[in-house]
């Protein structure tokens, strides 16, 4: 599945990145020399906790944990403490899922003018520009951290006596001068933010937290992809919506309200079952993490 340069804007950005990474390998499969792409993050709560604490001063009272499955008994508060303030989702990039994404993209483009500003207006969305390589985990974590009340631009790093904002918040302050609709410019700004890049790569290679060996380059071929989910309150109705943030999609995706007194995690899982698992019901390589209070 390849597209010409002329067709690139019509191609799924995730597939475009996949093709770009594959094309950049030599015939023997080796990545290009002197590449500057970001390293991929392992799907591990310890790794994402480290990234959050290093880049956004994630408070010590909060942590990412694994969600053990999508059955209701595995989503109980005893196993996943409440409130859940965000989720990180890892899914396989199969042909069926690419097919669904292509259909969804047309729907997103058609409905862009009808998006509810009361829900979408304050969401911070970043495009995964090609300079990131296969660093979709970093993009997903950044989306979550910068779209929750836990990590506001005014939250200072408790380990930094200079009084300056933590690296992600410093980036957010610079990005706030840009139009909210210019996700590409925000992506380019982040990929050029050296401090966040260095901390992300340090997290990816940290032997104390990683259970598998990190690739030496971000030019690894894509087999899976990360996105995140955050709860966003509708300013008019007061209802909480499940919002998907994916750096390879043209906009945030509103999966609808969770209902009065509803549970955000259950809303996320409903969206996952509908938009991913239903297309690959025999796959078991889906993974979900939740950001929850540390008990």
């Amino acid at each position: 599945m390849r597209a010409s340069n002329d067709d690139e804007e019509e191609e799924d950005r995730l597939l475009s990145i996949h093709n770009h990474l594959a094309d950049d390998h030599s015939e023997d499969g080796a990545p290009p020399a002197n590449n500057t792409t970001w390293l991929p993050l392992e799907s591990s709560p310890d790794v994402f906790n480290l990234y959050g604490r290093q880049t956004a001063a994630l408070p010590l009272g909060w942590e990412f944990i694994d969600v053990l499955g999508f059955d209701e008994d595995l989503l109980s508060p005893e196993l996943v403490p409440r409130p859940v303030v965000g989720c990180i989702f890892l899914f396989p990039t199969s042909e069926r899922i690419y097919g669904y994404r292509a259909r969804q993209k047309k729907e997103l483009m058609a409905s862009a003018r009808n998006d509810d500003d009361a829900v979408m207006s304050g969401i911070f969305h970043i495009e995964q520009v090609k300079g990131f390589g296969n660093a979709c985990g970093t993009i997903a974590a950044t989306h979550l951290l910068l779209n929750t009340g836990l990590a506001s631009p005014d939250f200072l790093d408790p380990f930094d006596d200079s009084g300056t904002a933590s690296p992600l918040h410093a980036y957010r302050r610079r990005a706030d001068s840009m139009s909210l609709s210019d996700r590409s410019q925000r992506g380019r700004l982040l990929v050029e933010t050296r401090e966040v890049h260095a901390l992300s790569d340090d997290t990816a290679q940290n032997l104390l937290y990683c259970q598998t060996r990190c690739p030496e380059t971000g030019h690894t071929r894509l087999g899976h992809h990360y996105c995140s989910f955050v709860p966003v309150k509708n300013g008019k109705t007061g209802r909480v919506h499940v919002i998907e943030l994916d750096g390879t999609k043209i906009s945030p995706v509103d999966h609808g309200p969770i209902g009065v007194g509803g549970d955000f995690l259950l809303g996320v899982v409903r969206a996952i079952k509908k938009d991913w698992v239903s297309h690959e019901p025999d796959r078991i390589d889906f993974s979900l993490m939740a950001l929850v209070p540390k008990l």
Side-chain angles (χ1 to χ4, degrees), residues 95-275:
E95 291 295 327
R96 290 178 180 175
I97 287 177
Y98 274 129
Y100 172 71
R101 286 170 59 93
R103 296 191 296 275
Q104 184 190 52
K105 181 178 179 180
K106 293 179 180 178
E107 295 172 358
L108 291 174
M109 294 176 68
S111 64
R113 294 182 180 180
N114 299 319
D115 282 342
D116 190 342
D117 288 340
V119 177
M120 296 293 199
S121 61
I123 297 174
F124 190 80
H125 189 219
I126 306 163
E127 182 176 302
Q128 185 177 331
V129 297
K130 290 180 179 178
F132 285 111
N134 189 11
C136 51
T138 297
I139 301 298
T142 299
H143 271 143
L144 191 158
L145 293 165
L146 294 182
N147 282 283
T148 66
L150 290 179
S152 73
D154 297 324
F155 190 98
L156 300 183
D157 185 345
F159 304 106
D160 183 354
D161 294 331
S162 68
T164 58
S166 59
L168 270 185
H169 301 135
Y171 155 76
R172 172 69 188 264
R173 287 175 178 172
R174 295 194 299 274
D176 276 344
S177 64
M178 302 172 181
S179 167
L180 275 174
S181 62
D182 198 347
R183 59 192 179 87
S184 297
Q185 189 177 358
R186 289 194 297 277
R188 289 191 294 271
L189 178 62
L190 181 57
V191 86
E192 294 167 0
T193 303
R194 295 181 179 180
E195 188 173 10
V196 177
H197 185 177
L199 290 170
S200 180
D201 281 1
D202 176 72
T203 300
Q205 300 175 96
N206 193 300
L207 298 179
L208 292 177
Y209 294 91
C210 297
Q211 299 177 15
T212 58
R213 183 174 178 271
C214 179
E216 296 179 358
T217 170
H219 278 260
T220 49
R221 292 181 173 87
L222 296 174
H224 293 77
H225 182 66
Y226 287 102
C227 67
S228 57
F229 295 92
V230 295
V232 175
K233 183 177 288 188
N234 185 313
K236 294 179 180 178
T237 68
R239 300 178 72 182
V240 173
H241 288 236
V242 175
I243 301 298
E244 173 197 342
L245 293 165
D246 184 331
T248 65
K249 290 187 176 180
I250 63 171
S251 68
V253 180
D254 185 354
H255 289 279
I258 60 175
V260 178
D263 188 301
F264 170 68
L265 178 62
L266 298 183
V268 169
V269 170
R270 281 194 295 271
I272 288 172
K273 288 180 176 179
K274 174 180 177 290
D275 284 7

Side-chain angles (χ1 to χ4, degrees), residues 43 66-67 70 88-91 284-289:
S43 181
D66 280 320
V67 177
F70 301 146
I88 302 285
F89 179 49
L90 181 70
F91 60 90
I284 61 172
D285 48 343
F286 296 98
S287 176
L288 184 67
M289 290 180 283

Side-chain angles (χ1 to χ4, degrees), residues 21-33:
L21 296 179
D23 288 341
D24 270 359
H25 281 71
S26 64
E27 292 184 0
D28 63 1

